[in-house]
Amino acid sequence: MAKTRLFVIRHGRTMFNTIGRAQGWSDTPLTAEGERGIQALGIGLRESGLEVTRAYSSDSGRAIQTMGIILDELGLKDQIPYRFDKRIREWCFGSFDGAYDGELFMGVLPRVFKVDDFHQLSLMELAEGIVEVDTTGWAESWGTLSGRILEGFEAIAKEVEAAGGGNAIVVSHGMTITT
């Protein structure tokens, strides 16, 4: 059996990334710059000679679009198993999905925790702070969020291993990968 390795990639730059909005479970497409960046990544992976046996992404459009570009550049579209996994979606920001980053990360959360800079907060504190200020009740607690993400990545690794191992590409999201 081949060694199992996951190559975890953040989706390309999106419209919301460009204008400084908290994307979360909201979705916007990749920008032209984002597409070019992912295309360059795909070319680099191809030129490295990396052999890929499986592909996974979150079920968000931006992750699916990113994976499509990568698989095209690798010449693997419709050639290897590829599936979506909602467990590796980005964090849900609830009522702050689509809000300006500055409003949430530089305004609301520092006021909730009485700190000057949100970078002083742990991921757990950020998640619990978002739950506290979310008016929809959709934001996930740290336990739910971190459990969902860990379960998703572990399941992907086990699936690759059960299929004989090898290299798998996984496209997810910034805060999800950080978690």
Side-chain angles (χ1 to χ4, degrees), residues 16 19-23 26 93 95-104:
F16 269 15
I19 61 173
R21 289 192 178 259
Q23 203 151 221
S26 300
F93 300 121
S95 56
F96 285 92
D97 258 32
Y100 282 103
D101 289 339
E103 179 184 353
L104 177 60

Side-chain angles (χ1 to χ4, degrees), residues 96 100-118 133:
F96 285 92
Y100 282 103
D101 289 339
E103 179 184 353
L104 177 60
F105 296 109
M106 276 64 95
V108 173
L109 290 175
R111 285 194 304 272
V112 166
F113 287 101
K114 298 176 178 46
V115 295
D116 294 328
D117 185 349
F118 80 96
V133 298

